[in-house]
Amino acid sequence: MADITRRLGWRHLRGAPTAHVRHHRGGKLLHDGPGLSFWYRALTAALSEVPVDDRELAMTFHARTSDFQDVAVQATVTYRISDPTLAAARLDFSVDPDTGAWRGTPLEQLGTLLTETAQQHALDVLARTPLSAALMDGVAAVRERVTAGLATEPRLPATGIEVVAVRVVALRPEPEVERALRTPAREQIQQEADRATYERRAVAVERERTIAENELASQIELARREEQLVEQRGTNARREAEEHAAADAVRAEAEAARSVRLARAEAEGAQAVGAARAQAQAAWLQVHTEVDVAVLHALTGTRLAENLPRIDSVTVSPDVLTGLLAKLGAQDRA
């Protein structure tokens, strides 16, 4: 919308670079072009403002496929007014001299023209396409057909309109049909998810089994090693006992041999002593056999006197003295 200001019955219009302004007064064209700025009188001026920028027109309409299924088509058409003079002559782009607002609805008329034209070509191509093909390749087919149809539509260049691009956003069936179509895919996806879950569980069970087997093998190996350890300890203890027993036997044999040697030495010593004593006794007896009886008696008395206890006093009775004297006399006579 143009920017209009008031000054003492005059109006000043300042247009935008994307708006083509036409100013007529008395049937004569005074100003014509985009981005103009000029003064005019509201009572005698006839103004038109035609946008020349690219505009987006979103449209949504329903169509029916060859198998009698309803689909919703969402598309966007980008267009521009390439000939503002022709468009201003065919459509009402006049603006109020005081406010700058359009008196009519020219853009709505253009939108209706473009929507109906695009819808006509889209319906034509979808009417010969089944639903499955339309959902699979229908977007490209509809876009190509609508683009070709708008390019060959004679009313658009006659109105000064140029189509820049056509985009088909989506083709969607009715909600019930869409849910029905999604069901097999969802079931397949669910089956894939279940299979993946089962495979993960199987892998987890296999891993747990492997871990349990490894733990069991470790326990068996540990028990086997403990058994070997116990056996080795028993062997060591038995060997130690045998070594102790052998050492004790050797020690006992040494003690026995020593005792035997001692006993033998003692026996030999005793034998030697006995032999020496026997020899001494024999020599003593031999000597005594050769000595006179009186000498022997004297020696006997001496020995006897040596072995008798100490006698401080001796009392000799007459009877004893008489007997001794008698014996000594008998010995002398003999």
Side-chain angles (χ1 to χ4, degrees), residues 100-293:
W102 279 316
R103 296 180 183 274
T105 56
L107 296 181
E108 293 181 3
Q109 295 177 6
L110 285 177
T112 301
L113 175 61
L114 291 171
T115 301
E116 290 178 353
T117 305
Q119 183 176 357
Q120 177 183 354
H121 294 288
L123 293 177
D124 183 58
V125 69
L126 289 174
R128 296 193 296 270
T129 305
L131 179 62
S132 58
L135 295 178
M136 184 176 298
D137 300 323
V139 172
V142 171
R143 182 179 65 250
E144 293 174 358
R145 182 60 180 274
V146 171
T147 301
L150 292 177
T152 59
E153 178 63 35
R155 291 183 59 188
L156 298 181
T159 314
I161 300 174
E162 178 186 357
V163 176
V164 178
V166 176
R167 298 187 302 277
V168 177
V169 180
L171 289 175
R172 301 191 62 177
E174 294 181 345
E176 295 80 4
V177 177
E178 187 174 6
R179 284 194 295 269
L181 292 175
R182 288 179 178 177
T183 300
R186 288 182 176 177
E187 291 180 353
Q188 183 177 1
I189 294 173
Q190 186 63 39
Q191 291 176 0
E192 294 291 337
D194 294 340
R195 182 163 57 253
T197 301
Y198 296 150
E199 290 178 356
R200 287 196 300 271
R201 290 179 179 176
V203 171
V205 171
E206 182 65 21
R207 289 180 179 176
E208 291 179 356
R209 186 180 65 82
T210 303
I211 293 173
E213 291 179 353
N214 293 335
E215 291 180 352
L216 181 60
S218 299
Q219 293 178 359
I220 293 174
E221 181 65 19
L222 182 61
R224 186 179 64 81
R225 292 185 179 181
E226 289 180 353
E227 182 180 0
Q228 292 179 353
L229 180 61
V230 171
E231 183 178 357
Q232 186 64 35
R233 287 179 177 175
T235 302
N236 295 339
R238 185 167 56 254
R239 184 177 301 171
E240 184 178 1
E242 291 176 355
E243 291 179 355
H244 284 302
D248 293 340
V250 171
R251 190 181 299 110
E253 291 179 358
E255 291 291 335
R258 179 173 172 273
S259 298
V260 169
R261 287 195 300 270
L262 291 175
R264 186 177 298 169
E266 290 179 357
E268 292 177 353
Q271 185 177 1
V273 171
R277 288 180 178 177
Q279 291 177 0
Q281 189 69 28
W284 184 77
L285 291 176
Q286 183 65 29
V287 170
H288 283 76
T289 57
E290 296 176 355
V291 177
D292 187 52
V293 177

Side-chain angles (χ1 to χ4, degrees), residues 1-2 4 13-16 18-25 28-36 38 40 45-52 81 84-97 100-104 106:
M1 187 175 65
I4 298 176
L13 183 143
R14 183 174 58 190
T18 57
H20 189 96
V21 179
R22 294 171 59 86
H23 175 211
H24 291 79
R25 186 178 62 187
K28 295 181 180 181
L29 182 61
L30 300 181
H31 299 90
D32 185 16
L36 297 180
F38 54 87
Y40 64 92
L47 301 176
S48 297
E49 184 181 19
V50 181
V52 294
I81 299 176
T85 302
L86 184 58
R90 300 295 299 274
L91 298 174
D92 185 11
F93 283 96
S94 62
V95 298
D96 191 312
W102 279 316
R103 296 180 183 274

